[in-house]
């Protein structure tokens, strides 16, 4: 083994330090998402921040985590609150309907339970497509909802 083989390993631009920095950024992004999603009202903003932060991280060489977090919260808080209300409203309605017929075992109620679970999963898929579309500012709400529904 050469004498200076490990010297290049500890330089600031070495591949493993860049990988460690990227791993740290992803862990911190997930931690910020978790802390900001603890109050359920801010769930939409937390999801939008994660999408915004990861897109900034992928396409930028000089990515700063907290600056990106602050920019996303200032820029998308209205859209995030609207999406939170939509998300929690759909999910709450489905879970409330499921709770109402939870103890029933007759065939019509079982079919209704299956229908509620299907609506819940379709809502989840719809919102999965809607959150990235919310970052596109050139679209109106109607266009965002139509695109998420047709995707």
């Amino acid at each position: 083994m050469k004498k200076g083989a490990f010297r290049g390993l500890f330089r600031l631009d070495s591949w493993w330090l860049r990988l460690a920095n990227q791993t740290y950024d992803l862990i911190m992004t997930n931690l910020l998402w978790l802390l900001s999603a603890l109050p359920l009202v801010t769930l939409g903003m937390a999801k939008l921040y994660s999408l915004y932060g990861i897109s900034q991280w992928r396409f930028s060489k000089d990515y700063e985590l907290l600056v990106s977090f602050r920019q996303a919260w200032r820029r998308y808080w209205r859209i995030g609150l609207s999406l939170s209300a939509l998300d929690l409203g759909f999910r709450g309605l489905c879970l409330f309907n499921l709770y109402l017929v939870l103890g029933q075992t007759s065939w019509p109620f079982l079919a209704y339970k299956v229908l509620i679970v299907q609506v819940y999963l379709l809502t989840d898929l719809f919102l999965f497509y809607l959150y990235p579309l919310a970052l596109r500012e050139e679209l109106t709400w109607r266009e965002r909802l139509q695109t998420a529904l047709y995707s």
Side-chain angles (χ1 to χ4, degrees):
M1 203 177 226
K2 292 185 179 179
K3 188 175 184 180
F6 290 109
R7 193 178 329 171
L9 195 60
F10 295 105
R11 290 190 330 218
L12 291 178
D13 61 342
S14 66
W15 65 272
W16 81 274
L17 277 178
R18 282 184 281 147
L19 180 68
N21 189 20
Q22 290 174 350
T23 305
Y24 172 77
D25 283 342
L26 285 176
I27 289 171
M28 288 305 295
T29 300
N30 286 326
L31 184 64
L32 285 172
W33 176 84
L34 179 69
L35 290 176
S36 59
L38 282 177
L40 287 178
V41 177
T42 60
L43 181 65
M45 289 185 287
K47 286 181 182 181
L48 284 178
Y49 159 69
S50 295
L51 290 170
Y52 180 78
I54 289 173
S55 68
Q56 293 294 319
W57 174 72
R58 281 186 62 201
F59 299 117
S60 175
K61 295 290 183 190
D62 54 346
Y63 172 73
E64 293 184 23
L65 183 72
L66 293 176
V67 173
S68 172
F69 182 76
R70 189 173 58 239
Q71 285 175 351
W73 275 83
R74 283 185 186 166
R75 194 171 182 179
Y76 297 112
W77 71 271
R78 285 186 185 107
I79 296 171
L81 283 177
S82 301
L83 285 174
S84 291
L86 188 69
D87 194 349
L88 293 174
F90 278 149
R91 292 176 194 273
L93 186 65
C94 287
L95 292 176
F96 179 70
N97 282 327
L98 191 61
Y99 176 72
L100 287 177
V101 295
L102 194 61
Q104 304 296 326
T105 57
S106 64
W107 286 105
F109 287 110
L110 290 176
Y112 186 64
K113 287 180 191 178
V114 169
L115 180 69
I116 291 172
V117 170
Q118 288 176 351
V119 168
Y120 185 85
L121 292 175
L122 283 174
T123 301
D124 197 28
L125 188 63
F126 171 71
L127 291 168
F128 178 76
Y129 283 115
L130 187 60
Y131 276 102
L133 289 173
L135 293 177
R136 295 176 55 190
E137 295 175 353
E138 68 270 4
L139 296 177
T140 63
W141 270 104
R142 182 178 179 172
E143 292 170 342
R144 289 176 187 153
L145 293 172
Q146 284 177 348
T147 306
L149 190 61
Y150 296 144
S151 294

